[in-house]
Amino acid sequence: MTSFKIGGTFGGIYIKDALEMLTVTKLNSLKPQAKPYKVSDAHGLYIYVRPTGTKSWRQKYRFNGKEKLLTHGKYPLVSLVEARELRDKALRLLHEGVDPSLVKLGQKLSRANTFGVIAKEWHEKESINWKPSHSQKVWRQLESDILKHLRDSPIDSISPTELLSVLEKIEKRGALDIASRQRQRCEAIFRHAILTERASHNPATQLVGVMKTKRVEHRKALKLEELPEFLDQLERTSAHQVVKIATKILIHTFVRTGELRGAKWDEIDFDKQIWSIPAERMKMGREHLVPLSEEVVSLLKQVKDINGQREYVFASPQRPKQPLSENAILNLIYRMGYKGKATGHGFRATASSALNEMGHNPDAIERQLSHTEKNKVKAAYNRAEYFGERKKIMECWSKLIQSNQQKIL
């Protein structure tokens, strides 16, 4: 450690002699008082004790005739030895004619240019438009796949090769879809850095076409003519009645599986025959109204006899306070022998294809599928004007399912 003369005045503060310098024992013995106080060490360094008991390192100095202050962190996170080393670095800068406060500011600005800091800024900005669950998922994936490798890297120093090596780690575990999404997120983070003038290039854009891609496999969906046999098999399969009825209602309403599982009784209006799914449970973040056909109302009443006293319409038989598990319907479909042939989500495609072939209004069908309408004026029109048409479509769809099923009975 650089040696300095002990005793005298430094920056307008009297420095005590060596016998009065701080020790670890003395630091640990300092107790909070009604007002904050300080105990000097040497050469402008002192410990500042707050009434809360927090102890922090400070250093007074003069630059160009003005008294200034540096902070060196909290004790014991910053030890006595470390605080003296930081003090000595500041004194060396002063000897060279450099203001240590400006150097520290530059270090802070440098840290603000790291990939981790900018990724956090991007995530907070984008999260305004996301559901909390999606926001948490995005950040969790960034933490585990990207930030653990690039968090402290200055963003403008990251090369396409460096980023590719990180993304290839995801590819090697076979998660090609996640690797692709992470590249897109990195591209957005770099774009944010460029817009805020902290980066000059976007290495993620240079990786388009370089990374491995997974062949798109559309979700398995039954054809309309296959539904009767499926429903017949459903009746004969051994399973809890709630799961079986949930599967039937999924086919009749062609909502997303998660939207069905989370249904609550207070969302169902039996008199108006409407199911109102709140915005927070919808993929697109908008309330969705599902007209209920006579058959669906009948099925819901059967469930009410079983789960009517519970919050969830499709409460889990094993955990009554929770909805059916995520894979309850899919596992039933697999047990029926339809693995690789059908999924819960696939019933949406079945309904869409059949209803379009029957000549129903494509816009009304899309609205019933709760797909996004990018044209805001048209979206408002769809919401206001298509509901009556959608009621007819849903009743027609249920009757079509029932009539086809009757043919094989």
Side-chain angles (χ1 to χ4, degrees):
M1 184 174 73
T2 305
S3 60
F4 294 94
K5 181 181 177 182
I6 304 300
T9 302
F10 180 85
I13 299 176
Y14 178 72
I15 305 301
K16 302 176 182 179
D17 61 35
L19 294 176
E20 296 182 88
M21 289 172 65
L22 288 170
T23 63
V24 172
T25 300
K26 185 170 183 178
L27 281 167
N28 292 336
S29 68
L30 297 175
K31 303 298 182 184
Q33 298 178 7
K35 294 183 178 181
Y37 66 95
K38 61 184 181 182
V39 181
S40 297
D41 183 55
H43 307 291
L45 180 67
Y46 63 89
I47 194 76
Y48 186 80
V49 185
R50 295 181 181 275
T52 59
T54 301
K55 303 171 185 176
S56 56
W57 293 109
R58 297 184 177 185
Q59 179 182 356
K60 279 192 176 182
Y61 67 97
R62 282 188 174 275
F63 188 80
N64 289 338
K66 293 183 179 180
E67 189 174 89
K68 306 189 77 172
L69 180 68
L70 273 178
T71 57
H72 293 312
K74 295 178 181 179
Y75 178 82
L77 188 62
V78 176
S79 69
L80 175 59
V81 172
E82 290 170 329
R84 286 172 176 167
E85 289 175 350
L86 291 169
R87 174 204 62 193
D88 291 348
K89 287 180 182 179
L91 292 175
R92 281 193 290 271
L93 288 170
L94 283 170
H95 182 71
E96 295 168 5
V98 178
D99 186 347
S101 290
L102 294 180
V103 173
K104 189 171 184 179
L105 176 62
Q107 292 171 342
K108 287 183 178 179
L109 291 174
S110 176
R111 286 195 293 272
N113 290 341
T114 62
F115 185 89
V117 168
I118 296 171
K120 186 66 175 176
E121 286 180 17
W122 168 82
H123 181 263
E124 289 176 352
K125 179 172 70 74
E126 294 297 323
S127 290
I128 297 173
N129 302 314
W130 295 339
K131 291 182 180 179
S133 58
H134 179 66
S135 175
Q136 292 167 11
K137 180 181 179 181
V138 169
W139 187 251
R140 187 170 61 250
Q141 289 182 342
L142 280 172
E143 284 270 18
S144 61
D145 291 333
I146 308 296
L147 292 177
K148 70 178 181 181
H149 302 291
L150 299 177
R151 186 190 305 276
D152 297 324
S153 299
I155 197 160
D156 211 29
S157 71
I158 299 172
S159 67
T161 303
E162 184 179 4
L163 180 59
L164 179 62
S165 68
V166 172
L167 294 172
E168 283 178 336
K169 297 179 189 298
I170 308 172
E171 290 182 339
K172 286 178 181 177
R173 66 175 193 254
L176 301 186
D177 288 342
I178 294 177
S180 177
R181 283 197 295 273
Q182 295 291 53
R183 187 208 64 78
Q184 293 171 6
R185 289 166 184 162
C186 288
E187 183 177 1
I189 292 167
F190 280 105
R191 189 183 304 118
H192 175 71
I194 292 170
L195 291 173
T196 54
E197 299 184 347
R198 285 175 287 177
S200 58
H201 68 291
N202 193 329
T205 59
Q206 300 178 48
L207 301 182
V208 176
V210 175
M211 298 174 60
K212 296 177 183 178
T213 56
K214 187 175 181 179
R215 183 170 61 87
V216 176
E217 293 184 3
H218 296 287
R219 298 178 194 265
K220 303 298 182 181
L222 297 177
K223 295 179 181 178
L224 176 61
E225 55 268 26
E226 294 176 306
L227 276 182
E229 184 178 344
F230 176 90
L231 289 166
D232 181 60
Q233 179 69 20
L234 178 61
E235 290 290 349
R236 293 186 283 110
T237 299
S238 175
H240 195 281
Q241 194 67 5
V242 170
V243 184
K244 293 172 73 169
I245 297 176
T247 306
K248 292 179 186 178
I249 293 178
L250 188 66
I251 296 171
H252 281 266
T253 59
F254 49 91
V255 293
R256 297 178 180 90
T257 309
E259 295 160 6
L260 181 89
R261 290 174 47 246
K264 297 180 180 180
W265 288 115
D266 60 9
E267 299 171 5
I268 309 294
D269 188 328
F270 283 97
D271 293 332
K272 295 181 180 179
Q273 296 188 198
I274 296 174
W275 171 19
S276 303
I277 308 178
E280 59 267 22
R281 290 207 296 106
M282 292 301 300
K283 181 179 180 181
M284 299 305 169
R286 292 196 302 268
E287 181 189 26
H288 183 52
L289 303 180
V290 182
L292 303 175
S293 67
E294 296 291 344
E295 176 63 14
V296 172
V297 169
S298 175
L299 290 169
L300 284 170
K301 287 179 177 178
Q302 293 177 42
V303 182
K304 197 171 182 66
D305 290 338
I306 304 171
N307 282 340
Q309 302 304 313
R310 294 168 182 169
E311 179 183 14
Y312 291 100
V313 176
F314 305 104
S316 167
Q318 293 77 29
R319 296 177 295 278
K321 292 184 179 181
Q322 299 178 26
L324 289 174
S325 67
E326 187 175 354
N327 293 319
I329 293 176
L330 186 62
N331 289 338
L332 173 58
I333 292 172
Y334 285 177
R335 289 205 309 275
M336 290 167 56
Y338 281 85
K339 186 173 183 178
K341 299 177 183 178
T343 64
H345 195 89
F347 295 128
R348 291 166 60 79
T350 303
S352 178
S353 297
L355 291 169
N356 275 288
E357 288 177 8
M358 293 167 65
H360 289 285
N361 186 336
D363 288 335
I365 296 170
E366 287 297 293
R367 184 68 190 91
Q368 191 54 51
L369 287 162
S370 72
H371 286 163
T372 304
E373 172 56 65
K374 294 182 180 179
N375 184 312
K376 292 183 179 180
V377 175
K378 191 174 181 180
Y381 177 85
N382 288 353
R383 182 177 178 81
E385 299 298 325
Y386 290 149
F387 186 74
E389 191 168 358
R390 289 192 285 126
K391 285 184 68 174
K392 295 177 182 177
I393 288 174
M394 299 304 281
E395 193 65 52
C396 176
W397 175 239
S398 281
K399 287 180 179 178
L400 180 63
I401 294 170
Q402 291 172 279
S403 63
N404 281 351
Q405 190 176 7
Q406 290 296 323
K407 293 176 182 178
I408 67 168
L409 296 179

